[in-house]
């Protein structure tokens, strides 16, 4: 089989063998693919969704040199298009098993691949709060992606949980589309970049410091959260429709 002029060989049972297999087509996987092919190696990128990774969910990227302000989706369109000039990207192919040995054996539901080298660029996924009411409420008021689900909370009440860049970016985005949003943060100061903190202050988005979510309340959908003040111990119920969780990431390293 030939991809853009560089051959992979047929392995046993007709399976394909490459010099390098890359799992995950986020920014890291796409960059790795470009480098591998430019080094003259046969290579394939396997992606469980569509190319782009987490950046796809970022409304605006402002720290990528050469692009002062670019929507995440647009930036990743450019990156994927650039990568495709060099390397084939198989979309919708989740890798479920990797076996080491003299060569790597990589299996998805759809096929099996072999390679001399394997690059895992599987990124990370959102961390959960781990509180009562969170599980089972995803899509019914609990969200881990403001840009994906924010639209449903226009003119409604929501909280963003977290104090880092993602939390503040989410809060600013929700505010911009007309959501009545507050930030709930367990510490007494925010961790996010200063310019994001300034934007939040300028827009007068309320920040509840020293506060944690103790429970997400609702039957069919979220109607309130129970918030505990870490300093006083007082628990209050705040009526909300949406809970956007932005408390960090956990590495997707199950294949390693
Ligand atoms: C809301 C948000 C806003 C952000 N804003 C910014 C910003 O403004 N500036 C900035 O620098 N960074 C930002 N980031 C961080 C940035 O998105 C990440 O640092 C970057 O995406 C990491 O790239 P990656 O390629 O390592 O992993 P990821 O982007 O996580 O990509 C991993 C890819 O691997 C795929 N994958 C995982 N497991 C498998 C499997 N088993 N089989 C096949 N494919 C698999 C996933 O589907 C995914 O496409 C933001 C992140 C978020 C969530």
């Amino acid at each position: 089989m030939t991809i853009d002029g560089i051959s992979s060989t047929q392995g046993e049972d007709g399976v394909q063998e490459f010099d390098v297999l890359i799992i995950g087509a986020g920014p890291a996987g796409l960059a790795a693919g470009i480098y591998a092919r430019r080094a003259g190696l046969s290579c394939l990128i396997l992606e469980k969704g569509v190319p782009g990774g987490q950046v796809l969910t970022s409304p605006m990227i402002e720290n990528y040199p050469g692009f002062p302000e670019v929507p995440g989706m647009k930036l990743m369109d450019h990156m994927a298009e650039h990568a495709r000039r060099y390397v084939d990207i198989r979309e919708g192919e989740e890798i479920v098993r990797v076996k080491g040995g003299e060569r790597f054996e990589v299996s998805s539901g759809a096929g099996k691949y072999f390679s001399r080298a394997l690059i895992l660029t599987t990124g990370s996924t959102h961390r959960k709060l781990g509180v009562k009411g969170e599980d089972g409420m995803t899509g019914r008021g609990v969200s881990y992606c403001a840009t994906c689900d924010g639209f449903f909370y226009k003119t409604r009440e929501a909280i963003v949980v977290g104090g880092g860049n993602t939390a503040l970016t989410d809060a600013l985005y929700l505010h911009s589309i007309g959501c009545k949003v507050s930030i709930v943060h367990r510490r007494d100061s925010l961790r996010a970049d200063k310019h994001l903190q300034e934007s939040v202050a300028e827009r007068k988005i309320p920040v509840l410091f020293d506060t944690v979510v103790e429970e997400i309340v609702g039957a069919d959908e979220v109607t309130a959260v129970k918030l505990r003040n870490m300093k006083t111990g007082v628990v209050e119920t705040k009526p909300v429709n949406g809970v956007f969780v932005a408390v960090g990431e956990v590495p997707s390293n199950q294949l390693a």
Side-chain angles (χ1 to χ4, degrees), residues 120-151:
L120 292 179
T121 49
T122 44
S124 56
T125 54
H126 52 259
R127 189 188 300 281
K128 288 187 164 193
L129 286 175
V131 299
K132 192 175 166 198
E134 181 178 18
D135 283 338
M137 282 293 189
T138 307
R140 296 194 286 148
V142 175
S143 170
Y144 303 88
C145 177
T147 40
C148 315
D149 303 326
F151 177 80

Side-chain angles (χ1 to χ4, degrees), residues 34-97:
I34 293 170
Y35 273 78
R37 291 302 303 265
R38 286 175 64 84
L41 301 169
S42 64
C43 172
L44 177 68
I45 302 179
L46 297 154
E47 165 58 49
K48 69 176 173 183
V50 294
Q54 296 172 67
V55 183
L56 292 175
T57 63
S58 183
M60 196 60 74
I61 303 285
E62 297 173 342
N63 62 349
Y64 195 77
F67 295 84
E69 269 192 350
V70 58
M73 212 174 264
K74 188 169 175 195
L75 179 64
M76 293 322 296
D77 275 352
H78 285 305
M79 256 192 232
E81 191 190 324
H82 185 175
R84 280 199 183 95
R85 289 188 185 191
Y86 293 93
V87 58
D88 193 13
I89 305 169
R90 300 253 164 102
E91 298 181 17
E93 195 148 350
E94 179 167 8
I95 300 309
V96 290
R97 198 162 54 96

Side-chain angles (χ1 to χ4, degrees), residues 162-185:
N165 285 346
T166 302
L168 269 66
T169 303
D170 285 357
L172 287 164
Y173 171 71
L174 291 167
H175 177 83
S176 77
I177 61 169
C179 176
K180 293 169 200 150
V181 64
S182 310
I183 296 169
V184 172
H185 184 42

